[in-house]
Amino acid sequence: MPYFDAASSVPLHPVARQALAASLDEGWADPSRLHREGRRARLLLDAARETAAEAVGCRPDELVFTPSGTGALHRGIAGALAGRRRVGRRLAVSAVEHSAVLHAASAHREEGGSVTEVPVDRRGRVSAAAYEEALTEETALACLQSANHETGTVQPVAEIAGLCAEAGVPLLVDAAQSLAWDRPGGGWSLLAGSAHKWGGPPGVGLLAVRKGVRFAAPPPADEREQGRSPGFENIPAIVAAAASLRAVRADADAVAARLRPLIERVRAEVPRAVPDVEVVGDPVHRLPHVVTFSCLYVDGEALLHALDRAGFSVSSGSSCTSSTLTPSHVLLAMGVLSEGNIRLSLPPTPEESVEADVERFLQVLPEAVREVREQLNAPAVPRERAAGYDAAVQDAAVQDAAVQDEGTNHHAARYEEQRTVPAEGARELTVDALGTLCPMPVIELARNFDDVPVGGVITVLADDEAARVDIPAWCEMRGQEYLGAQGTRYRVRRLS
Amino acid sequence: MPYFDAASSVPLHPVARQALAASLDEGWADPSRLHREGRRARLLLDAARETAAEAVGCRPDELVFTPSGTGALHRGIAGALAGRRRVGRRLAVSAVEHSAVLHAASAHREEGGSVTEVPVDRRGRVSAAAYEEALTEETALACLQSANHETGTVQPVAEIAGLCAEAGVPLLVDAAQSLAWDRPGGGWSLLAGSAHKWGGPPGVGLLAVRKGVRFAAPPPADEREQGRSPGFENIPAIVAAAASLRAVRADADAVAARLRPLIERVRAEVPRAVPDVEVVGDPVHRLPHVVTFSCLYVDGEALLHALDRAGFSVSSGSSCTSSTLTPSHVLLAMGVLSEGNIRLSLPPTPEESVEADVERFLQVLPEAVREVREQLNAPAVPRERAAGYDAAVQDAAVQDAAVQDEGTNHHAARYEEQRTVPAEGARELTVDALGTLCPMPVIELARNFDDVPVGGVITVLADDEAARVDIPAWCEMRGQEYLGAQGTRYRVRRLS
């Protein structure tokens, strides 16, 4: 059963399991106590710190362990901002940072600070020019991920670190996605990571703060971990985390060399096998194990379930798969299609069968997408784009399938009433998709599109936030003109 | 090798170890994902929550897991204060709460809130009358431990909960020390605990918030654990924590019945076997497994090491054993002797040999104390009090041992210059113990005491904070009159 969701979490590395079992016997005591059990725990903790610091590329006394990567980011950001409060209260973050960073930024804003979000290009990368603008005299801290968790896009950290150094602004690097692969490049001031991403146990994050970086740990005070991370140290898990980081890193180049071509193949093959797919993320600057694509007219949750039934565990940034029903902020910031979004991320300790599993995924995917589209009564794919895709089946299904699903599928629920029938030859048409969820607004747009003549304008009323990226993305994919949005009104001119 | 420091941390319970090993395979994935690994993790998490809620006595949806007991307290206090900010900004805590509570209180004060510290009696208990005074119209939250971590004194939680209910103030109970023993009584609004105190793994705390209690989780936001505890859930450890809580609780009454008489015996025997000892904590309202005592003229760190060499792992609240060189705030608040402080806390899953180990401890202790006193050139113990204690040896050592240790023992370092020789028959004497650490100020007081006549006054200059409790405690133990302190000047009248 292939697990392709490594960017969320990976199973425990065998080395971590061994280290955990061994240190449960030795590392349960309070390392601040003077008795032998305490001293033994302290020794284990010190050794783990050495190992982790070596992997991160810092001094042991610059590194503390936290209960999670999120904890490391929250405390790292709060501590660095507080340490430079006299300089200013501006925080710079890229628009595609992990939600833990963006939530810390929101908290900072609520407390009266200001936040500059640096935009990314369509491939999810920040540019040096854009980041430089965010570095003002009042900027207390800049944050940048080493690589994006949803798209695998690798950020130009060294370049941005150079700009930050010139501007005298400390740079916090969220290295959660890349620590398994390599030691982060120099130039950072603070760095955060999360053990369960590299095969360590959950419950361990790390925060490194370079000597000389001003840092004032957020209250309440606590004497553990240099006062930077409160609570009793989770030593067995810390020992396991450090051991597995070293083990994973030792194999990283070989594993990357094995996974990179698999990801290349997915990037190339998915658009050939499935019509109307957008592969997102940077094709060159990317992690070796992650690929993400979005499928037009596809409900991400339905596709996830179809793939799950076929034995594949993947994740999705589609709005319908999130508890908030908003699409991934990463896809939004990139301006790429968010519907039918699927991320494959291969574990850094891949199964022997990973090549075969990826091939099987490529075989299963087209049918899974086709089924979901059929359920949603999605418009036929233009024949010229439908390589290897049975458009005839699709056409036949269009006539009567939609209403049939009404009871069970919230996406199609309002189908019958959502169309304003145009007068003969009218050059304007309004389609009401209010209350429907992604991908229905785009499906409605496509379904009614032929009813306006070339040069005419179709307006889609939609309140699902995904429409904000998905309607422009559809225009881009179909070569039609996106005229923009006003509130919930999205306007498109038919060009062909 | 007897480990008698259970109140700090206990080894992993066998049930926890089994549960941990099993759930490492099943519980490593992200429980918010829709794939099978995610769903499996979610099932484990839900089941663990049910188990823990049953043990705590709340609904599963009232309980979240945190990365530590400290984390539970910090977030519980911050969330409850924020939730009732409109009511007022006053926080009531007992003076003997865990440092995590007192640090949260300090943070609240720094942010403009106010804190009322409810005093305790000499046994470490709050009184209903004293607590009631702290419950004003502006009180947003009251905190009270179920039992004290240093003395084992059990607090009148039900009574205080009743007062809080009358006053409409939510009560947060820090149940860290008692959760292994029993389900907390009703009446609480919030409750915190820590798994490594009951044989669960480190890295797991719990926070329960009763439905209807106003709670606003402190920022940054995070979607995990109802938004109340940020960061990826540590499911294997959570599963192990819940399983071991249930297992420990099932045996709790039997274990308590076994340990309680052992603690009784220590409480009775230590003062018989060792002269000048004060057993602290409530003799009746107490945990079954904790006993604490302080030894006059003893350096706590030296005694810890002596006991460690004899194979006993215990802890101490003496100032010389803390990184801050201040004595335990608990002993300070109780006003009891803090020097030579030792806490024995027996594990809730005791070794078969625990009875024999306790007996051996009682055999070893007197000699260990005698050795430490000898090294410090402590004054002879009055003969009438020295049952079973070789006072002659002590007397012989007084003459010349002190200066001899100067190089290695900071406590005695300033011995030679610290006495102002009185004029013949003078009724006032000043002893300069500035710069010396506990127990030296008290030793100097005792050593020079006979040089003032009955009715005369001796002044001790001391800047070690421990003097604040240890000099009055000495007067109490010796039947002399403590006249009070002004800054670093402590005055004592000789009565006999």
Side-chain angles (χ1 to χ4, degrees):
Chain A
M1 300 288 273
Y3 176 76
F4 289 166
D5 192 19
S8 289
S9 190
V10 296
L12 206 62
H13 191 284
V15 163
R17 180 181 290 264
Q18 277 179 346
L20 185 64
S23 55
L24 284 171
D25 289 330
E26 303 276 313
W28 52 268
D30 184 341
S32 63
R33 294 292 174 197
L34 300 173
H35 48 58
R36 62 185 175 282
E37 290 85 357
R39 296 194 304 268
R40 219 152 57 190
R42 167 66 56 193
L43 283 175
L44 284 176
L45 180 58
D46 289 347
R49 201 185 309 280
E50 293 261 357
T51 302
E54 163 71 23
V56 163
C58 67
R59 290 165 35 174
D61 62 351
E62 293 174 330
L63 185 145
V64 299
F65 294 104
T66 66
S68 63
T70 295
L73 288 167
H74 286 178
R75 294 190 71 82
I77 292 169
L81 286 172
R84 298 207 354 126
R85 197 179 162 130
R86 282 194 207 160
V87 174
R89 301 202 63 195
R90 183 168 291 279
L91 169 67
V93 300
S94 92
V96 294
E97 294 301 308
H98 189 274
S99 60
V101 171
L102 299 183
H103 284 145
S106 297
H108 180 58
R109 209 184 269 117
E110 277 160 30
E111 284 161 14
S114 63
V115 178
T116 307
E117 268 199 16
V118 180
V120 295
D121 62 22
R122 226 181 136 74
R123 292 169 171 186
R125 263 194 138 210
V126 296
S127 72
Y131 216 113
E132 195 165 20
E133 271 183 47
L135 302 175
T136 69
E137 282 189 358
E138 292 81 38
T139 306
L141 177 68
C143 295
L144 183 62
Q145 61 198 187
S146 55
N148 187 268
H149 48 297
E150 292 195 27
T151 62
T153 296
V154 167
Q155 301 293 350
V157 170
E159 194 180 0
I160 305 300
L163 294 175
C164 287
E166 268 174 45
V169 175
L171 176 67
L172 181 149
V173 172
D174 172 8
Q177 289 301 328
S178 69
L179 270 181
W181 299 105
D182 53 20
R183 183 194 269 202
W188 52 266
S189 300
L190 302 99
L191 183 140
S194 174
H196 73 103
K197 308 280 190 192
W198 71 63
V204 182
L206 58 82
L207 172 64
V209 182
R210 292 255 191 238
K211 286 288 157 202
V213 173
R214 289 199 186 169
F215 192 88
D222 192 77
E223 64 277 11
R224 311 264 169 189
E225 290 297 281
Q226 297 183 42
R228 290 181 176 167
S229 182
F232 190 79
E233 299 92 339
N234 188 352
I235 295 177
I238 286 170
V239 169
S244 57
L245 179 54
R246 179 157 59 185
V248 155
R249 196 69 78 65
D251 293 337
D253 288 347
V255 172
R258 193 172 156 205
L259 299 187
R260 195 174 281 282
L262 293 178
I263 296 297
E264 299 278 9
R265 177 148 166 73
V266 175
R267 291 186 69 93
E269 191 56 25
V270 165
R272 271 200 289 270
V274 183
D276 285 324
V277 161
E278 182 172 11
V279 177
V280 303
D282 197 293
V284 178
H285 302 104
R286 60 175 184 78
L287 292 171
H289 66 309
V290 178
V291 56
T292 301
F293 52 86
S294 299
C295 308
L296 201 59
Y297 312 144
V298 167
D299 170 359
E301 182 170 349
L303 183 54
L304 271 192
H305 285 306
L307 291 169
D308 185 57
R309 282 192 300 275
F312 293 96
S313 297
V314 298
S315 78
S316 170
S318 292
S319 55
C320 54
T321 61
S322 79
S323 55
T324 54
L325 291 178
T326 54
S328 137
H329 69 274
V330 173
L331 303 176
L332 278 177
M334 294 165 71
V336 296
L337 187 68
S338 80
E339 64 190 36
N341 180 263
I342 292 293
R343 176 188 69 186
L344 256 71
S345 48
L346 311 178
T349 49
E351 302 281 325
E352 292 210 359
S353 58
V354 64
E355 286 86 357
D357 290 340
V358 168
E359 283 309 314
R360 200 161 66 76
F361 176 82
L362 290 172
Q363 282 159 21
V364 162
L365 180 70
E367 178 60 20
V369 171
R370 202 180 60 75
E371 272 175 23
V372 174
R373 283 177 172 159
E374 211 173 280
Q375 279 164 18
L376 290 176
N377 193 21
V381 172
R383 275 173 203 282
E384 72 273 19
R385 300 191 51 142
Y389 182 70
D390 190 356
V393 173
Q394 187 74 0
D395 282 340
V398 167
Q399 303 305 326
D400 54 9
V403 183
Q404 204 175 298
D405 280 351
E406 198 169 330
T408 56
N409 192 322
H410 60 277
H411 295 272
R414 293 183 69 255
Y415 174 64
E416 275 194 302
E417 27 180 8
Q418 70 206 359
R419 182 171 168 195
T420 307
V421 181
E424 196 74 29
R427 300 188 61 80
E428 291 266 351
L429 174 66
T430 297
V431 173
D432 178 2
L434 290 170
T436 69
L437 296 179
C438 156
M440 290 315 291
V442 173
I443 290 180
E444 289 312 314
L445 166 62
R447 207 201 303 274
N448 292 284
F449 200 66
D450 287 347
D451 290 345
V452 292
V454 170
V457 171
I458 186 164
T459 298
V460 182
L461 305 180
D463 48 10
D464 182 347
E465 211 191 331
R468 190 145 68 83
V469 282
D470 290 350
I471 290 176
W474 182 89
C475 295
E476 175 105 7
M477 292 169 90
R478 285 289 182 266
Q480 309 297 341
E481 187 184 4
Y482 178 59
L483 297 174
Q486 280 191 312
T488 56
R489 300 172 65 84
Y490 295 85
R491 298 180 73 239
V492 176
R493 186 189 313 279
R494 180 170 176 186
L495 297 184
S496 59
Chain B
M1 301 289 272
Y3 176 77
F4 288 166
D5 192 19
S8 290
S9 189
V10 295
L12 206 60
H13 191 284
V15 164
R17 180 181 288 265
Q18 278 179 346
L20 185 65
S23 55
L24 285 171
D25 289 329
E26 302 275 312
W28 50 268
D30 184 341
S32 63
R33 294 292 175 197
L34 300 173
H35 47 56
R36 64 186 175 282
E37 290 85 355
R39 296 193 304 269
R40 220 153 54 190
R42 168 65 57 192
L43 283 176
L44 285 176
L45 181 57
D46 289 347
R49 201 185 309 280
E50 293 260 357
T51 303
E54 163 71 22
V56 164
C58 66
R59 288 163 38 173
D61 61 353
E62 293 175 329
L63 185 145
V64 300
F65 294 105
T66 65
S68 64
T70 296
L73 288 168
H74 286 177
R75 295 190 70 83
I77 292 169
L81 286 172
R84 292 193 17 112
R85 196 175 164 134
R86 283 194 206 160
V87 174
R89 300 201 65 194
R90 183 168 291 280
L91 169 67
V93 300
S94 92
V96 295
E97 295 300 308
H98 189 275
S99 60
V101 171
L102 298 183
H103 285 145
S106 298
H108 179 59
R109 210 184 268 118
E110 278 160 30
E111 284 161 13
S114 63
V115 178
T116 307
E117 268 198 15
V118 180
V120 295
D121 62 22
R122 225 180 138 76
R123 292 170 171 184
R125 266 194 136 208
V126 296
S127 71
Y131 216 112
E132 194 164 21
E133 271 184 48
L135 302 175
T136 68
E137 281 189 359
E138 292 79 39
T139 306
L141 177 68
C143 297
L144 183 62
Q145 62 198 188
S146 54
N148 186 267
H149 49 297
E150 291 195 30
T151 63
T153 296
V154 168
Q155 301 293 351
V157 170
E159 195 180 0
I160 305 300
L163 294 176
C164 287
E166 269 174 44
V169 175
L171 175 67
L172 182 149
V173 172
D174 171 8
Q177 289 300 330
S178 69
L179 270 181
W181 299 105
D182 53 20
R183 183 194 271 201
W188 52 266
S189 300
L190 302 99
L191 183 140
S194 173
H196 72 103
K197 308 278 190 193
W198 70 62
V204 183
L206 57 81
L207 171 64
V209 183
R210 292 258 190 236
K211 287 286 158 203
V213 172
R214 290 199 185 168
F215 192 87
D222 191 78
E223 65 275 12
R224 310 264 168 191
E225 290 296 279
Q226 298 183 40
R228 289 182 178 167
S229 181
F232 189 79
E233 298 92 338
N234 189 353
I235 294 178
I238 286 170
V239 170
S244 56
L245 180 53
R246 180 158 56 185
V248 156
R249 197 67 79 66
D251 294 337
D253 288 348
V255 172
R258 194 174 155 204
L259 299 187
R260 196 174 279 282
L262 293 179
I263 296 296
E264 299 279 8
R265 176 148 166 74
V266 175
R267 290 185 70 94
E269 190 57 25
V270 165
R272 271 201 288 270
V274 183
D276 285 325
V277 161
E278 182 172 12
V279 177
V280 303
D282 197 295
V284 178
H285 303 103
R286 61 175 182 78
L287 292 172
H289 67 308
V290 177
V291 56
T292 302
F293 53 85
S294 299
C295 308
L296 202 59
Y297 312 144
V298 166
D299 169 0
E301 182 169 351
L303 184 54
L304 272 192
H305 286 305
L307 291 170
D308 185 58
R309 282 192 300 274
F312 294 96
S313 297
V314 298
S315 77
S316 170
S318 291
S319 55
C320 54
T321 61
S322 80
S323 55
T324 53
L325 291 178
T326 53
S328 137
H329 69 273
V330 173
L331 302 177
L332 278 178
M334 293 164 71
V336 296
L337 187 68
S338 80
E339 65 191 36
N341 180 263
I342 291 293
R343 176 188 69 187
L344 257 72
S345 48
L346 311 178
T349 50
E351 302 280 324
E352 293 211 359
S353 57
V354 64
E355 286 85 356
D357 290 340
V358 167
E359 283 308 315
R360 200 161 65 77
F361 176 82
L362 289 172
Q363 283 159 21
V364 162
L365 180 71
E367 179 61 19
V369 171
R370 202 181 58 78
E371 272 174 25
V372 174
R373 283 177 173 160
E374 210 172 279
Q375 279 163 17
L376 290 176
N377 193 20
V381 171
R383 274 174 203 283
E384 72 273 16
R385 300 190 50 142
Y389 182 71
D390 191 355
V393 174
Q394 187 75 358
D395 282 340
V398 168
Q399 303 303 326
D400 53 10
V403 183
Q404 203 175 301
D405 281 353
E406 197 168 333
T408 55
N409 193 321
H410 60 277
H411 295 273
R414 294 184 68 255
Y415 173 64
E416 275 193 303
E417 26 179 9
Q418 70 206 359
R419 182 175 167 190
T420 307
V421 180
E424 196 74 28
R427 301 189 59 80
E428 291 266 352
L429 174 67
T430 297
V431 174
D432 179 1
L434 290 169
T436 69
L437 297 178
C438 155
M440 289 316 290
V442 174
I443 289 180
E444 289 314 314
L445 166 62
R447 206 200 304 272
N448 293 284
F449 201 68
D450 287 348
D451 290 344
V452 293
V454 171
V457 171
I458 186 164
T459 299
V460 182
L461 306 181
D463 48 11
D464 182 347
E465 211 190 333
R468 191 146 66 83
V469 283
D470 290 350
I471 291 176
W474 181 90
C475 294
E476 176 106 5
M477 292 169 88
R478 286 286 182 265
Q480 309 298 343
E481 187 185 4
Y482 178 59
L483 297 173
Q486 278 191 312
T488 56
R489 301 172 66 83
Y490 296 83
R491 297 179 74 240
V492 176
R493 187 189 312 279
R494 180 170 177 187
L495 297 184
S496 60

